[in-house]
Amino acid sequence: MAQRAASKRPLVTAPPAFPKPGHNHARCAADALAKAEAVCTARGTRLTDIRRQVLATVWQSHVPVGAYEILAQLNSGGGTPRSHKSRALTARGGRHAPMAVYRALEFLMGNGLVHRLASLNAYIGCAHRGEDPHAAQFLICRRCGITAELKSAALNRALNQAVTERGFTIDSQLVEIGGICPHCRPKP
Amino acid sequence: MAQRAASKRPLVTAPPAFPKPGHNHARCAADALAKAEAVCTARGTRLTDIRRQVLATVWQSHVPVGAYEILAQLNSGGGTPRSHKSRALTARGGRHAPMAVYRALEFLMGNGLVHRLASLNAYIGCAHRGEDPHAAQFLICRRCGITAELKSAALNRALNQAVTERGFTIDSQLVEIGGICPHCRPKP
DNA sequence: TGGTATAATGTTATATTATAACATATTCAA
DNA sequence: TTGAATATGTTATAATATAACATTATACCA
């Protein structure tokens, strides 16, 4: 595959490519968990059991997961989810109630380790873990579900300009793009 | 129209300013309703009673409204909402069930007359009514709640580039910016 | 004009996502 | 070791949204 030389190469602007289908995901997950430990230690916050479990669940793949799906996995022993019905009856036999998950997610989001996807009501591990809570943009493949976190300076610039031009002061942003990822797109 | 202003002046790109606090809103609403009639006639779709009522409710202000708030207003006679409790018991005395509202909203969104704000679970009248369903960006003031629809070519360009650069094909986009609007911002 | 297909609405029930409020337990540090 | 702060347990419920099937209205056309 000969590449066009210097001329037309886009600058090194597309760094964290879309996660490939066959990549070593165990490593993604392990890295994320390790990084999270470090972040929490550094910040003096505590990555407790539940929080770690929730984080691990979120990192099972690059597909966002719902809070109740996380709950089901927690309550089924961490392996594969048993059923969606283990909802209210967390009492004796079961384990956790929804609150446990939501609280863990809140903590993880507050520490920049997880993001929420408003368009899906689902959660995903932060690809820039280790940084403070930050604005993020997401590319969501509607075929495979895999979601990549985007960090485009150009996009942020455009966004800031478009907005401040109108006298608006940004607090928070939510950018979620749906479509087809490079690996699901039919090859030419 | 297309002008290459010589100097550094930002082009005249901020057309539909943030709705002003004291503007003639009755007119916004009336216009929107009229436009909606026209759009539906043109498309051969029907702007029925409920749909019109829902649209009118959405256009009561520039602040997004929740589905159940719309429902409450419908069920209280179109005036001010009576209570949030008129939920399930739409049977005899009441009027509409949630489905009615959601169906109307679905129709209105399908016809490009209303948008949904995922970050608020709320709905707002489309400022570009008359156009086909379209991608939109929103500025949401966290103080007054007023939300403006943004249409920035530059932003769209940046967004498309950042995304296609990564081999992604866009289907849908969701851009919601939270912050302080020009009218709520403390003057210098 | 009447019949019929389509579209719209009614109605009931329930799914899904998220939070409130208060009780108990754990941790850390003085 | 005690007490404040933090974390979790527990119960209940809020808020948002959809499924499924029955009924009614509308439009079209033979």
Side-chain angles (χ1 to χ4, degrees):
Chain A
M1 303 305 175
Q3 304 220 12
R4 286 259 162 263
S7 62
K8 249 328 200 30
R9 297 283 296 274
L11 316 192
V12 197
T13 32
F18 220 87
K20 285 192 186 134
H23 75 285
N24 180 352
H25 184 66
R27 188 145 147 199
C28 289
D31 281 4
L33 271 283
K35 207 76 189 225
E37 299 280 3
V39 168
C40 289
T41 302
R43 297 180 146 226
T45 59
R46 283 149 51 193
L47 191 60
T48 61
D49 258 5
I50 297 187
R51 290 168 180 175
R52 196 183 347 263
Q53 283 178 262
V54 169
L55 186 58
T57 303
V58 156
W59 272 103
Q60 270 179 352
S61 78
H62 294 275
V63 179
V65 284
Y68 278 84
E69 195 180 332
I70 296 171
L71 179 64
Q73 295 205 26
L74 249 62
N75 283 346
S76 72
T80 32
R82 199 191 342 251
S83 118
H84 255 241
K85 288 189 224 132
S86 30
R87 199 76 51 74
L89 303 163
T90 307
R92 295 304 91 118
R95 304 261 252 301
H96 300 286
M99 273 311 299
V101 171
Y102 281 105
R103 286 200 276 231
L105 287 171
E106 188 181 19
F107 170 87
L108 294 168
M109 288 191 288
N111 284 274
L113 299 167
V114 160
H115 291 288
R116 177 171 192 273
L117 291 161
S119 60
L120 302 175
N121 293 331
Y123 304 82
I124 192 169
C126 174
H128 309 120
R129 69 262 181 188
E131 301 172 24
D132 279 328
H134 53 276
Q137 298 105 34
F138 298 93
L139 304 182
I140 307 170
C141 179
R142 68 166 153 76
R143 192 156 165 287
C144 66
I146 290 184
T147 295
E149 189 171 344
L150 183 61
K151 206 181 184 179
S152 161
L155 177 50
N156 268 316
R157 227 177 299 121
L159 209 148
N160 271 286
Q161 165 152 9
V163 166
T164 51
E165 225 172 53
R166 286 161 174 82
F168 196 87
T169 308
I170 298 191
D171 275 355
S172 66
Q173 58 161 271
L174 192 152
V175 178
E176 299 176 21
I177 313 294
I180 299 292
C181 82
H183 308 110
C184 287
R185 189 167 55 172
K187 300 295 184 295
Chain B
M1 318 307 184
Q3 73 285 68
R4 299 208 74 229
S7 63
K8 243 338 202 26
R9 298 283 298 272
L11 317 191
V12 196
T13 34
F18 222 87
K20 285 193 186 135
H23 75 286
N24 181 352
H25 184 67
R27 189 146 146 199
C28 290
D31 281 4
L33 272 282
K35 207 78 189 226
E37 299 280 3
V39 169
C40 289
T41 302
R43 296 180 146 226
T45 59
R46 283 150 50 196
L47 189 61
T48 60
D49 257 6
I50 296 188
R51 291 169 179 174
R52 197 186 344 263
Q53 282 178 264
V54 169
L55 186 58
T57 303
V58 157
W59 273 103
Q60 269 179 354
S61 79
H62 293 276
V63 179
V65 285
Y68 279 83
E69 195 180 331
I70 296 172
L71 179 63
Q73 295 205 25
L74 250 61
N75 283 346
S76 72
T80 31
R82 201 194 338 255
S83 121
H84 256 240
K85 284 189 229 137
S86 29
R87 197 77 50 75
L89 304 164
T90 307
R92 295 304 91 119
R95 306 259 253 300
H96 299 286
M99 272 312 299
V101 170
Y102 282 105
R103 285 201 276 231
L105 287 170
E106 189 182 18
F107 171 88
L108 295 167
M109 288 191 288
N111 284 274
L113 299 167
V114 160
H115 290 289
R116 178 172 192 273
L117 292 160
S119 60
L120 303 176
N121 293 332
Y123 304 82
I124 192 170
C126 173
H128 308 121
R129 69 260 181 189
E131 300 170 24
D132 279 329
H134 53 276
Q137 298 106 33
F138 298 93
L139 304 182
I140 305 170
C141 180
R142 70 164 151 77
R143 193 157 165 286
C144 66
I146 290 182
T147 293
E149 189 170 343
L150 185 59
K151 207 180 183 181
S152 161
L155 177 49
N156 269 315
R157 226 178 299 123
L159 208 148
N160 271 286
Q161 165 151 9
V163 166
T164 52
E165 222 171 55
R166 286 160 175 84
F168 195 88
T169 308
I170 298 191
D171 275 355
S172 66
Q173 58 162 271
L174 192 152
V175 177
E176 299 177 18
I177 313 295
I180 300 291
C181 81
H183 308 111
C184 287
R185 188 165 58 171
K187 300 297 184 293

